[in-house]
Amino acid sequence: MLDLLLVHPVSANDWISFDIPSLIQNFWSATFDGLTFGAIYGLIAVGYTLVYGVLNLINFAHSEVFIVGAYAVVLVLSALGFGPSVPNLPLSSIILDLVLALILAMLASAATAFVLERVAYRPLRKRNAPRLVFLITAIGASFAIQYTIFLVRGANAEPAVTMFQAQPVFDVFGTIINSQQIIIVIAAVILMILTDQFIRRTRAGRGIRAVAQDPDTATLMGVNKERIIIITFVVGGILAGAAALFYVMLVPSGVQYNGGFVLGVKAFAAAVLGGIGNVRGALLGGLLLGIIGNYGQILLGDSQWTDVVAFVILVLVLLVKPTGILGTSLGRSRA
Amino acid sequence: MLKKKVLTSLAIAAAAGLLMSGCANQGSTGTSTSASKIDIPAITTIQTPANAVLPAGDGKAKCAAGLTLGYIGAETGANAQLGINIYDGVQLALDQHNKANPGCQVGFKKFDTEGDPTKATGPVTQAVNEADIVGVVGLPFSGESKATGNILEQKGLVHITPSATNPGLTTNGWTTFFRGLGNDAVQGPAAAKFVTGKLQAKKVYLVQDDSDYGIGLAATTSKALGSALIGTDKVTTGQKDFSAVISKIINAKPDAVYYSGYYAEGAPFDQQLVTKGYTGTFVAPDGVKDDQFIKLAGNASANAYFTCPCIPGELIPTFESAYKTAFNLEPGTYSIEGYDAATILLSGIDAGKTTRADLLAWVKSYDKDGLSKHYKWDSTGELQAPTVYGYKVENGKIVPIGTIG
């Protein structure tokens, strides 16, 4: 056992080695960086989790709902004069511009999710198509949106838009935390609390829970199922739009026609890890996935391990608890 | 619902405002590396060989009508610009040759591969079956060269690649393949020497991607770096979040980071490095040396240097002005390599080598200066004395800083 813990800082010969000093040295930065990206996974994961909770459908095209929002952020900010350089604008106008970009990104993503539901899923539902057909349609819709963007915007990533200079804010155990990280994590948590409250307290939220629990009975009780489904897609879209703004804040040049795919897979995994159908689980799953991936890659020595570690942990968790960490479906979530 | 979202936006705005203003005057206490900035000035001229062979020759060449040179490579596709840079160089050489030599008019045919190894077989087969083609400039990329070298070999058609750098290409036993520039086994050691020498980096961190190109180049570079190499990491194609890699780099405090890969990952990587307070230099090979890098990395790109086995054609005045007149553009990366390759084939035709076999023998024993460098190949088709140039980013443009190996 002790042999396993032997330290190989940089080893070219061993297939696998554990670099524990490096993990200790980078522990806090790995944690905070993981939380930051994890918050973005979590926001996207809500879209998967809500739709799954209500329709038992894995909406594979949700990654494209996200990337449309990211394009909206880039296009709006470039139109407002943002570019690769740090903008030379007063703080108040930067904030105004970012809020405008946020709202437009939310609108763009929500609209995409709405159209997707209307065009790709609703006609199938009317015809009582089998579950598999929905899944295939979702994959098809994902490709259709991706390559439409490819045809319009081309293969290259969009030029960078830098929103503001990340400033160091405070120092935790020798690790600098910057303003970007704080903004992203706090905003994501606020958005998640609002979403959770929306589902728990509002009339529409009650409808979502009712349809998730038993669509037929909900309809009998006077819930407009079609309306609830639309609301579900739109809420997922709005959060994806918010995630898009934070993503561009972290990765100013990350907007590319196929750029949503990997994030989408990670976010879906986050939803499953936290317990699919569970909004709180989505955030928890996202944060955990972000942190675990970071610890794993530092422990194992290179970044190519990130996904291996993240997905092995996912499988292990599901083996122990098949419903995910927080379990429970949307219908039975604490009302 | 809508009200809630508006509230949310306001909350975010308020939080953002507090954060950004609250810390605006703290300065950059997050810097953790202490490399002093080395400034290597851009060069504005390069040494051109005095007796360089030019396409025009002596103007008295006589040859049969109908002889043709081919270009096989990308004309369309994602990486088309590289192909266009090259065949414009070839076109210029041909125009100058045909204008100066009324007695020898050589034709030009282009075959489009889209730069894609899976699509290259068709155009290459078509080219080798056209009997009037005696020599080829191409193929530009390593992947397509690997896929089609056998076809050209079987038909004995000599071809000079102006840009494919994978070292493995000359280990296939092909006798018709010639590389008109240094390969990555040359670039790696040159890069290592540049980083530890001219850039005076004592500690270098090397990050590679998962492509054949990135892995191969990283292997030769890290070997040459020796004890200056203090750490390595590996990233994947399409990766966008480099935070864990960067945290390790910041802790290791290197003077330079060498990124062995392409610009699509190199640019966000460099940008995130700088955002996290890295103040050393960022060095990358020809796969990153592209204007796209500057577009994607933004201001962060100011810390970047490049190594490239390509010669800055824009600094050869006669070539630059002729190219600009002909195409209304500055010469691009690899334009001069295309021009020189065509010149070698044309000078063979002028010397009466008008069959494929004769022209192949001509290239094999070639030992003369071109505009960009001296051309003499070893038995495998590698140049005997290739040059590697350094480049840097200055005012949002990539400019050459001289030879580095």
Short mmCIF file of all heavy atoms in Angstrom, two decimals, chain B residues 112-155:
data_model
loop_
_atom_site.label_atom_id
_atom_site.label_comp_id
_atom_site.label_asym_id
_atom_site.label_seq_id
_atom_site.Cartn_x
_atom_site.Cartn_y
_atom_site.Cartn_z
N ASP B 112 -6.87 19.96 -56.00
CA ASP B 112 -7.32 20.31 -54.65
C ASP B 112 -7.54 19.09 -53.76
O ASP B 112 -8.32 18.20 -54.08
CB ASP B 112 -8.64 21.10 -54.74
CG ASP B 112 -9.08 21.65 -53.39
OD1 ASP B 112 -8.27 21.62 -52.45
OD2 ASP B 112 -10.23 22.12 -53.29
N THR B 113 -6.84 19.04 -52.63
CA THR B 113 -7.01 17.93 -51.68
C THR B 113 -7.83 18.36 -50.46
O THR B 113 -8.09 17.55 -49.58
CB THR B 113 -5.65 17.46 -51.14
OG1 THR B 113 -5.06 18.55 -50.43
CG2 THR B 113 -4.74 17.00 -52.24
N GLU B 114 -8.15 19.65 -50.36
CA GLU B 114 -8.77 20.23 -49.16
C GLU B 114 -7.91 20.03 -47.92
O GLU B 114 -8.37 20.21 -46.80
CB GLU B 114 -10.18 19.65 -48.91
CG GLU B 114 -11.13 19.90 -50.07
CD GLU B 114 -12.52 19.31 -49.81
OE1 GLU B 114 -12.96 19.32 -48.65
OE2 GLU B 114 -13.14 18.84 -50.78
N GLY B 115 -6.66 19.62 -48.12
CA GLY B 115 -5.77 19.40 -46.97
C GLY B 115 -6.13 18.18 -46.16
O GLY B 115 -5.63 17.98 -45.06
N ASP B 116 -7.00 17.34 -46.70
CA ASP B 116 -7.58 16.23 -45.94
C ASP B 116 -6.98 14.91 -46.42
O ASP B 116 -7.12 14.55 -47.59
CB ASP B 116 -9.09 16.25 -46.17
CG ASP B 116 -9.82 15.17 -45.38
OD1 ASP B 116 -9.15 14.23 -44.92
OD2 ASP B 116 -11.04 15.30 -45.24
N PRO B 117 -6.30 14.17 -45.52
CA PRO B 117 -5.67 12.90 -45.94
C PRO B 117 -6.64 11.94 -46.60
O PRO B 117 -6.27 11.21 -47.51
CB PRO B 117 -5.16 12.30 -44.62
CG PRO B 117 -5.09 13.42 -43.66
CD PRO B 117 -6.10 14.44 -44.09
N THR B 118 -7.90 11.95 -46.18
CA THR B 118 -8.85 10.99 -46.74
C THR B 118 -9.32 11.39 -48.13
O THR B 118 -9.86 10.59 -48.87
CB THR B 118 -10.09 10.85 -45.83
OG1 THR B 118 -10.73 12.12 -45.74
CG2 THR B 118 -9.70 10.38 -44.44
N LYS B 119 -9.10 12.65 -48.50
CA LYS B 119 -9.55 13.11 -49.82
C LYS B 119 -8.39 13.27 -50.79
O LYS B 119 -8.60 13.55 -51.98
CB LYS B 119 -10.29 14.45 -49.69
CG LYS B 119 -11.61 14.31 -48.99
CD LYS B 119 -12.32 15.64 -48.85
CE LYS B 119 -13.61 15.46 -48.05
NZ LYS B 119 -14.00 16.67 -47.35
N ALA B 120 -7.17 13.11 -50.30
CA ALA B 120 -6.00 13.45 -51.13
C ALA B 120 -5.69 12.39 -52.19
O ALA B 120 -5.10 12.71 -53.23
CB ALA B 120 -4.78 13.65 -50.23
N THR B 121 -6.09 11.15 -51.97
CA THR B 121 -5.73 10.08 -52.90
C THR B 121 -6.22 10.35 -54.31
O THR B 121 -5.49 10.16 -55.28
CB THR B 121 -6.30 8.74 -52.39
OG1 THR B 121 -6.08 8.66 -50.99
CG2 THR B 121 -5.64 7.58 -53.06
N GLY B 122 -7.46 10.81 -54.43
CA GLY B 122 -8.04 11.08 -55.74
C GLY B 122 -7.24 12.08 -56.55
O GLY B 122 -6.75 11.75 -57.64
N PRO B 123 -7.08 13.29 -56.05
CA PRO B 123 -6.32 14.29 -56.81
C PRO B 123 -4.89 13.85 -57.11
O PRO B 123 -4.36 14.15 -58.19
CB PRO B 123 -6.33 15.52 -55.90
CG PRO B 123 -7.21 15.23 -54.76
CD PRO B 123 -7.73 13.85 -54.85
N VAL B 124 -4.26 13.14 -56.19
CA VAL B 124 -2.88 12.71 -56.42
C VAL B 124 -2.84 11.68 -57.57
O VAL B 124 -2.00 11.78 -58.47
CB VAL B 124 -2.25 12.12 -55.14
CG1 VAL B 124 -0.90 11.48 -55.44
CG2 VAL B 124 -2.08 13.20 -54.08
N THR B 125 -3.77 10.73 -57.54
CA THR B 125 -3.83 9.74 -58.62
C THR B 125 -4.06 10.42 -59.96
O THR B 125 -3.42 10.10 -60.97
CB THR B 125 -4.98 8.74 -58.34
OG1 THR B 125 -4.83 8.25 -57.01
CG2 THR B 125 -4.95 7.60 -59.32
N GLN B 126 -4.95 11.38 -59.97
CA GLN B 126 -5.24 12.13 -61.20
C GLN B 126 -3.97 12.83 -61.70
O GLN B 126 -3.64 12.77 -62.88
CB GLN B 126 -6.33 13.15 -60.87
CG GLN B 126 -7.01 13.73 -62.08
CD GLN B 126 -7.92 14.90 -61.68
OE1 GLN B 126 -8.33 15.00 -60.51
NE2 GLN B 126 -8.23 15.74 -62.63
N ALA B 127 -3.23 13.43 -60.76
CA ALA B 127 -2.03 14.17 -61.16
C ALA B 127 -0.96 13.24 -61.72
O ALA B 127 -0.35 13.55 -62.76
CB ALA B 127 -1.48 14.95 -59.96
N VAL B 128 -0.73 12.09 -61.06
CA VAL B 128 0.35 11.23 -61.55
C VAL B 128 0.01 10.62 -62.91
O VAL B 128 0.88 10.26 -63.67
CB VAL B 128 0.70 10.09 -60.56
CG1 VAL B 128 1.25 10.65 -59.26
CG2 VAL B 128 -0.47 9.17 -60.30
N ASN B 129 -1.28 10.54 -63.23
CA ASN B 129 -1.68 9.96 -64.51
C ASN B 129 -1.68 10.95 -65.66
O ASN B 129 -1.90 10.58 -66.81
CB ASN B 129 -3.06 9.30 -64.39
CG ASN B 129 -2.97 8.01 -63.60
OD1 ASN B 129 -1.93 7.34 -63.60
ND2 ASN B 129 -4.04 7.66 -62.90
N GLU B 130 -1.45 12.21 -65.38
CA GLU B 130 -1.34 13.18 -66.46
C GLU B 130 0.12 13.25 -66.90
O GLU B 130 0.98 13.76 -66.17
CB GLU B 130 -1.85 14.54 -65.99
CG GLU B 130 -3.33 14.46 -65.64
CD GLU B 130 -4.05 15.81 -65.77
OE1 GLU B 130 -3.45 16.75 -66.33
OE2 GLU B 130 -5.20 15.87 -65.33
N ALA B 131 0.38 12.73 -68.08
CA ALA B 131 1.75 12.50 -68.53
C ALA B 131 2.57 13.79 -68.66
O ALA B 131 3.79 13.76 -68.54
CB ALA B 131 1.75 11.75 -69.85
N ASP B 132 1.90 14.92 -68.90
CA ASP B 132 2.67 16.15 -69.12
C ASP B 132 3.22 16.74 -67.83
O ASP B 132 4.06 17.63 -67.86
CB ASP B 132 1.79 17.18 -69.86
CG ASP B 132 0.50 17.48 -69.11
OD1 ASP B 132 0.06 16.60 -68.34
OD2 ASP B 132 -0.05 18.58 -69.30
N ILE B 133 2.75 16.24 -66.68
CA ILE B 133 3.27 16.76 -65.40
C ILE B 133 4.59 16.08 -65.07
O ILE B 133 4.65 14.86 -64.91
CB ILE B 133 2.25 16.55 -64.27
CG1 ILE B 133 0.99 17.35 -64.57
CG2 ILE B 133 2.84 16.96 -62.92
CD1 ILE B 133 -0.07 17.26 -63.52
N VAL B 134 5.66 16.89 -64.97
CA VAL B 134 6.97 16.31 -64.72
C VAL B 134 7.46 16.52 -63.30
O VAL B 134 8.36 15.84 -62.83
CB VAL B 134 8.02 16.85 -65.71
CG1 VAL B 134 7.74 16.32 -67.11
CG2 VAL B 134 8.04 18.37 -65.71
N GLY B 135 6.85 17.47 -62.60
CA GLY B 135 7.27 17.72 -61.22
C GLY B 135 6.13 18.35 -60.44
O GLY B 135 5.24 18.98 -61.03
N VAL B 136 6.16 18.16 -59.11
CA VAL B 136 5.05 18.63 -58.28
C VAL B 136 5.58 19.42 -57.09
O VAL B 136 6.59 19.05 -56.48
CB VAL B 136 4.22 17.42 -57.79
CG1 VAL B 136 3.27 17.82 -56.66
CG2 VAL B 136 3.44 16.78 -58.93
N VAL B 137 4.86 20.49 -56.76
CA VAL B 137 5.09 21.16 -55.49
C VAL B 137 3.96 20.72 -54.56
O VAL B 137 2.79 20.93 -54.86
CB VAL B 137 5.09 22.69 -55.65
CG1 VAL B 137 5.26 23.36 -54.28
CG2 VAL B 137 6.20 23.12 -56.58
N GLY B 138 4.31 20.09 -53.45
CA GLY B 138 3.28 19.59 -52.53
C GLY B 138 3.71 18.25 -51.96
O GLY B 138 4.78 17.79 -52.30
N LEU B 139 2.95 17.64 -51.12
CA LEU B 139 1.71 18.18 -50.60
C LEU B 139 2.03 18.96 -49.31
O LEU B 139 2.96 18.61 -48.60
CB LEU B 139 0.73 17.05 -50.28
CG LEU B 139 0.13 16.31 -51.49
CD1 LEU B 139 1.07 15.65 -52.40
CD2 LEU B 139 -0.92 15.34 -51.02
N PRO B 140 1.25 19.98 -49.01
CA PRO B 140 1.60 20.88 -47.92
C PRO B 140 1.55 20.26 -46.53
O PRO B 140 2.33 20.63 -45.66
CB PRO B 140 0.57 22.00 -48.04
CG PRO B 140 0.07 21.91 -49.43
CD PRO B 140 0.12 20.47 -49.80
N PHE B 141 0.60 19.34 -46.27
CA PHE B 141 0.40 18.87 -44.90
C PHE B 141 0.99 17.48 -44.69
O PHE B 141 1.06 16.67 -45.60
CB PHE B 141 -1.08 18.87 -44.53
CG PHE B 141 -1.73 20.21 -44.68
CD1 PHE B 141 -2.98 20.33 -45.26
CD2 PHE B 141 -1.08 21.35 -44.26
CE1 PHE B 141 -3.57 21.59 -45.41
CE2 PHE B 141 -1.66 22.60 -44.39
CZ PHE B 141 -2.91 22.71 -44.98
N SER B 142 1.36 17.20 -43.45
CA SER B 142 1.99 15.92 -43.13
C SER B 142 1.03 14.74 -43.33
O SER B 142 1.41 13.70 -43.86
CB SER B 142 2.50 15.93 -41.69
OG SER B 142 3.50 16.90 -41.54
N GLY B 143 -0.21 14.90 -42.89
CA GLY B 143 -1.16 13.80 -42.96
C GLY B 143 -1.41 13.35 -44.38
O GLY B 143 -1.34 12.16 -44.71
N GLU B 144 -1.67 14.29 -45.27
CA GLU B 144 -1.96 13.94 -46.66
C GLU B 144 -0.69 13.45 -47.36
O GLU B 144 -0.76 12.58 -48.25
CB GLU B 144 -2.58 15.13 -47.41
CG GLU B 144 -1.73 16.40 -47.36
CD GLU B 144 -2.39 17.58 -48.08
OE1 GLU B 144 -3.54 17.44 -48.51
OE2 GLU B 144 -1.73 18.63 -48.21
N SER B 145 0.47 13.98 -46.96
CA SER B 145 1.72 13.52 -47.55
C SER B 145 1.95 12.05 -47.22
O SER B 145 2.33 11.25 -48.07
CB SER B 145 2.91 14.33 -47.01
OG SER B 145 2.77 15.69 -47.33
N LYS B 146 1.66 11.70 -45.95
CA LYS B 146 1.83 10.34 -45.51
C LYS B 146 0.90 9.40 -46.29
O LYS B 146 1.27 8.29 -46.67
CB LYS B 146 1.50 10.28 -44.01
CG LYS B 146 1.90 9.02 -43.31
CD LYS B 146 1.62 9.19 -41.81
CE LYS B 146 1.77 7.89 -41.06
NZ LYS B 146 1.40 8.04 -39.65
N ALA B 147 -0.32 9.88 -46.55
CA ALA B 147 -1.32 9.04 -47.20
C ALA B 147 -1.05 8.82 -48.68
O ALA B 147 -1.51 7.83 -49.25
CB ALA B 147 -2.71 9.67 -47.02
N THR B 148 -0.28 9.71 -49.32
CA THR B 148 -0.19 9.64 -50.79
C THR B 148 1.23 9.47 -51.31
O THR B 148 1.42 9.33 -52.52
CB THR B 148 -0.76 10.92 -51.42
OG1 THR B 148 -0.02 12.03 -50.91
CG2 THR B 148 -2.23 11.08 -51.08
N GLY B 149 2.23 9.47 -50.41
CA GLY B 149 3.63 9.38 -50.87
C GLY B 149 3.89 8.17 -51.76
O GLY B 149 4.66 8.26 -52.72
N ASN B 150 3.21 7.05 -51.45
CA ASN B 150 3.41 5.84 -52.24
C ASN B 150 2.99 5.97 -53.69
O ASN B 150 3.62 5.43 -54.59
CB ASN B 150 2.61 4.69 -51.61
CG ASN B 150 3.49 3.88 -50.69
OD1 ASN B 150 4.69 3.79 -50.92
ND2 ASN B 150 2.89 3.31 -49.66
N ILE B 151 1.89 6.69 -53.90
CA ILE B 151 1.37 6.84 -55.28
C ILE B 151 2.39 7.59 -56.13
O ILE B 151 2.70 7.20 -57.26
CB ILE B 151 0.03 7.61 -55.25
CG1 ILE B 151 -0.95 6.92 -54.29
CG2 ILE B 151 -0.55 7.72 -56.64
CD1 ILE B 151 -2.23 7.71 -54.07
N LEU B 152 2.93 8.67 -55.56
CA LEU B 152 3.91 9.46 -56.30
C LEU B 152 5.19 8.66 -56.51
O LEU B 152 5.84 8.76 -57.57
CB LEU B 152 4.20 10.76 -55.54
CG LEU B 152 3.01 11.72 -55.53
CD1 LEU B 152 2.91 12.46 -54.21
CD2 LEU B 152 3.12 12.73 -56.67
N GLU B 153 5.54 7.86 -55.51
CA GLU B 153 6.73 7.01 -55.60
C GLU B 153 6.62 6.03 -56.76
O GLU B 153 7.53 5.87 -57.56
CB GLU B 153 6.90 6.27 -54.26
CG GLU B 153 7.97 5.19 -54.23
CD GLU B 153 9.38 5.77 -54.21
OE1 GLU B 153 9.52 6.96 -53.88
OE2 GLU B 153 10.33 5.04 -54.55
N GLN B 154 5.45 5.37 -56.85
CA GLN B 154 5.26 4.36 -57.89
C GLN B 154 5.39 4.93 -59.29
O GLN B 154 5.87 4.27 -60.20
CB GLN B 154 3.87 3.72 -57.73
CG GLN B 154 3.86 2.61 -56.68
CD GLN B 154 2.45 2.26 -56.25
OE1 GLN B 154 1.49 2.60 -56.93
NE2 GLN B 154 2.34 1.58 -55.12
N LYS B 155 4.92 6.17 -59.47
CA LYS B 155 4.98 6.77 -60.80
C LYS B 155 6.26 7.59 -60.99
O LYS B 155 6.40 8.29 -61.98
CB LYS B 155 3.75 7.66 -61.01
CG LYS B 155 2.44 6.91 -60.96
CD LYS B 155 2.17 6.21 -62.29
CE LYS B 155 0.83 5.47 -62.21
NZ LYS B 155 0.45 4.88 -63.50
#
